[in-house]
């Protein structure tokens, strides 16, 4: 039985913890961490895990795997420490990897200390196809994300702009780096697409759609010998509308796949 520690006790972390049995046999959730200890304690009471508030306390429990569901800030605060301790890490906040220098630091930390950094599919899928097409020579990658105005509310990239409650609006078009700077809680999928395909010039487009009841992501990959179009739609989490509930379940699916005698790539 491998021990798992969870960083993040919010909406997504709560789903992972409360449905941890879906990860299958071989995993045990032993520790949950939140900066506010009371938040971790509430989730710990429901799951039987230990509650901690610092990364040092988490590492003292000697987990085999740490899962992050707490946001880009948590990845940047704790990821390198976990990997340098020789512990495997799974992240959902792939937006942190938009910083290429930081990405290389995590890669080096994992290589140097015998750990692995896993990246969950999150709100989309198709990483298998993206990896395959990357090797075949994908030379044009675009992603359009469609969300309700409330899901975009508060994004730095909006400034003082008030989004329409009746009309569709294109609120952003540009590079992955610009997208994560302006919409850090909304474009994890854009960063994921750029990182997995190794196309730093991935074109990101964000559309505000007042009638949207789902977060939608449409990805196009083109190359001399390939053409793929992938669409993923999922309901926003009712507690945190900036995230899709499917992100939490992608963690559980990954754990199940990782420990299964039959692996789907």
């Amino acid at each position: 039985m491998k021990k798992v520690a969870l960083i993040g006790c919010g909406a997504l972390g709560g789903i992972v913890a409360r449905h941890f049995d879906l990860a299958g046999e071989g995993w045990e959730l032993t520790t949950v961490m939140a900066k506010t200890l009371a938040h971790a304690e509430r989730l710990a009471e429901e799951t039987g895990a230990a509650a901690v508030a610092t990364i040092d306390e988490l590492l003292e429990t000697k987990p085999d795997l740490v899962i992050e569901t707490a946001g880009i800030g948590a990845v940047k605060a704790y990821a390198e420490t976990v990997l340098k301790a020789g512990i495997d890490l799974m992240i959902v906040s792939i937006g942190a990897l938009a910083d290429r220098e930081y990405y290389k630091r995590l890669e080096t930390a994992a290589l140097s200390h015998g750990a692995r950094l896993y990246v969950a599919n999150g709100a989309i899928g198709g990483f298998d196809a993206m990896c395959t097409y990357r090797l075949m020579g994908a030379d044009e990658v675009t992603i359009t994300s469609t969300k309700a105005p409330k899901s975009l509310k508060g994004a730095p990239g909006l400034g003082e702009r008030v989004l329409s409650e009746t009309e569709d609006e294109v609120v952003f078009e540009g590079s992955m780096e610009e997208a994560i700077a302006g919409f850090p809680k909304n474009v994890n999928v854009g960063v994921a697409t750029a990182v997995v395909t190794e196309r730093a010039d991935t074109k990101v487009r964000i559309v505000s759609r007042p009638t949207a009841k789902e977060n939608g992501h449409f990805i196009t990959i083109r190359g001399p010998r390939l053409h793929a179009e992938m669409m993923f739609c999922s309901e926003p989490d009712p507690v945190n509308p900036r995230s899709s509930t499917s992100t939490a379940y992608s963690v559980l699916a990954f754990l199940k796949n990782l420990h299964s005698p039959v692996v789907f790539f």
Side-chain angles (χ1 to χ4, degrees):
M1 188 74 72
K2 291 191 174 183
K3 298 192 296 183
V4 176
L6 175 68
I7 297 176
C9 297
L12 298 182
I15 294 172
V16 171
R18 295 183 186 102
H19 298 277
F20 200 74
D21 59 311
L22 295 178
E25 298 179 359
W27 303 103
E28 179 185 6
L29 181 63
T30 58
T31 310
V32 293
M33 171 184 160
K35 286 193 297 185
T36 302
L37 182 59
H39 296 168
E41 288 175 334
R42 282 199 292 269
L43 191 57
E45 287 178 7
E46 294 184 56
T47 61
V52 300
T54 69
I55 193 65
D56 289 337
E57 290 176 301
L58 182 147
L59 294 178
E60 285 174 5
T61 67
K62 299 188 183 306
D64 297 292
L65 173 70
V66 175
I67 297 172
E68 169 278 318
T69 62
I72 292 173
V75 175
K76 293 206 166 184
Y78 309 125
E80 201 167 0
T81 300
V82 172
L83 294 171
K84 284 184 175 180
I87 298 171
D88 292 345
L89 171 67
M90 181 193 303
I91 65 171
V92 301
S93 303
I94 193 174
L97 304 187
D99 181 339
R100 295 181 208 174
E101 182 180 335
Y102 183 66
Y103 182 6
K104 292 301 294 183
R105 276 171 47 192
L106 294 187
E107 186 177 47
T108 299
L111 283 170
S112 301
H113 295 85
R116 301 193 77 179
L117 174 62
Y118 299 108
V119 180
N121 273 327
I124 58 173
F127 280 12
D128 53 350
M130 292 183 202
C131 288
T132 300
Y133 291 171
R134 178 181 71 202
L135 297 179
M136 293 177 65
D139 54 21
E140 183 183 342
V141 181
T142 64
I143 176 168
T144 297
S145 294
T146 301
K147 298 192 172 191
K150 67 178 181 180
S151 296
L152 299 166
K153 187 177 180 180
L158 288 178
E160 299 298 318
R161 180 176 177 180
V162 177
L163 297 177
S164 172
E165 294 295 332
T166 58
E167 302 292 331
D168 288 6
E169 298 178 79
V170 176
V171 298
F172 175 83
E173 284 185 290
S175 69
M176 177 260 291
E177 289 90 348
E178 294 169 329
I180 197 65
F183 299 84
K185 297 182 182 297
N186 299 102
V187 294
N188 263 323
V189 292
V191 176
T193 302
V195 169
V196 178
T197 58
E198 294 186 351
R199 296 298 311 187
D201 59 352
T202 293
K203 299 171 186 174
V204 181
R205 188 169 179 260
I206 303 173
V207 176
S208 171
R209 178 163 294 163
T211 58
K213 292 183 170 41
E214 299 176 313
N215 294 329
H217 309 287
F218 184 74
I219 301 167
T220 301
I221 303 174
R222 297 181 185 276
R225 293 177 292 163
L226 59 95
H227 173 212
E229 295 182 353
M230 297 178 282
M231 176 174 279
F232 303 94
C233 297
S234 59
E235 292 184 4
D237 186 88
V239 177
N240 180 8
R242 295 180 181 86
S243 297
S244 296
T245 302
S246 60
T247 299
Y249 285 93
S250 77
V251 171
L252 299 169
F254 182 85
L255 289 177
K256 188 174 181 65
N257 205 31
L258 196 63
H259 215 274
S260 172
V262 179
V263 177
F264 297 95
F265 169 72

